[in-house]
């Protein structure tokens, strides 16, 4: 048995009654929400480390975080003007790819990458909100929708939790490793400076 559900683009789409198809969609939407939220919560959790490493002020770090929400507002506005595609999953894959690209750029070149990550992640977050809502309406049965939307809402605090946990588990060891490599490099350079050429020893 199938049920007709109307989405924002006024196209009637069938919602299956099989719970096995609704739960993966709910979990996928929650994962998309978590990932597109990381570009703002990760820098916020690592604010102290980033500011001390790059010499940034609180105002600059605040501007980076604010740019995420401005980009999210822009994404939501653009999404409002666009019609929902027949296959929403493709749009979500592109949005996730852009978010991952921004996070990688922030890790590789933080001074520029943090701005890019906030812009890409924020736009992806705002743009995908109607898409994830429509996906839940299309894929989840009426009895599962309340749980699915609740899971999506819980994904935002889950992103803050993951970002906070990433600091002691990842940033600490990575920082110690980077510090050790830097100290080794300094010691190696000093050793080369103190090394006396063989012809001068003779």
């Amino acid at each position: 048995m199938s049920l007709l559900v109307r989405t924002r683009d006024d196209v009637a789409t069938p919602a299956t009654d099989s719970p096995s198809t609704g739960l993966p969609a709910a979990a996928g939407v929650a994962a998309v929400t978590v990932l597109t939220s990381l570009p703002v919560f990760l820098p916020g959790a690592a604010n102290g480390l980033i500011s001390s490493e790059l010499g940034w002020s609180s105002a600059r770090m605040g501007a980076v975080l604010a740019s995420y929400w401005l980009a999210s507002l822009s994404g939501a506005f653009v999404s409002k003007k666009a019609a929902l595609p027949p296959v929403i999953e493709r749009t979500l894959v592109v949005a996730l790819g852009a978010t991952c690209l921004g996070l990688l750029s922030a890790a590789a070149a933080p001074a520029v990458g943090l701005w890019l990550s906030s812009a890409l992640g924020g736009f992806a977050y705002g743009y995908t909100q109607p898409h994830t809502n429509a996906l839940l309406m299309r894929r989840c049965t009426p009895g599962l929708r309340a749980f699915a939307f609740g899971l999506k809402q819980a994904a935002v605090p889950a992103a803050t939790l993951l970002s906070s946990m990433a600091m002691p588990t990842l940033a600490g060891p990575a920082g110690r490793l980077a510090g050790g490599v830097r100290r080794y490099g300094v010691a190696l350079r000093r050793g080369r400076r103190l090394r006396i050429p063989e012809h001068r020893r003779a």
Side-chain angles (χ1 to χ4, degrees), residues 43-109:
N47 176 32
L49 293 174
I50 295 174
S51 298
S52 61
E53 182 72 19
L54 302 179
W56 283 9
S57 63
S58 300
R60 175 177 284 189
M61 197 63 204
V64 170
L65 301 180
S67 66
Y68 174 92
W69 298 114
L70 290 175
S72 176
L73 179 64
S74 301
F77 180 78
V78 173
S79 180
K80 179 182 178 181
K81 299 295 183 179
L84 291 173
V87 183
I88 298 176
E89 289 84 350
R90 294 177 183 174
T91 302
L92 298 182
V93 169
V94 174
L96 290 179
T99 303
C100 291
L101 179 63
L103 291 172
L104 290 175
S105 66

Side-chain angles (χ1 to χ4, degrees), residues 123-193:
F123 188 89
Y125 179 84
Y127 188 82
T128 56
Q129 288 303 304
H131 295 76
T132 53
N133 291 339
L135 185 63
L136 293 179
M137 292 296 295
R138 289 182 182 182
R139 296 287 185 265
C140 298
T141 59
L144 188 64
R145 286 174 194 157
F147 170 79
F149 280 98
L151 185 64
K152 178 187 174 182
Q153 293 298 317
V156 176
T160 64
L161 176 63
L162 291 175
S163 299
S164 301
M165 291 175 59
M167 292 305 99
T169 57
L170 297 178
R176 288 192 295 270
L177 178 61
V181 171
R182 285 195 296 268
R183 287 192 294 270
Y184 177 78
V186 171
L188 186 61
R189 288 194 298 270
R190 289 178 178 176
R192 288 179 177 177
R193 291 172 186 167

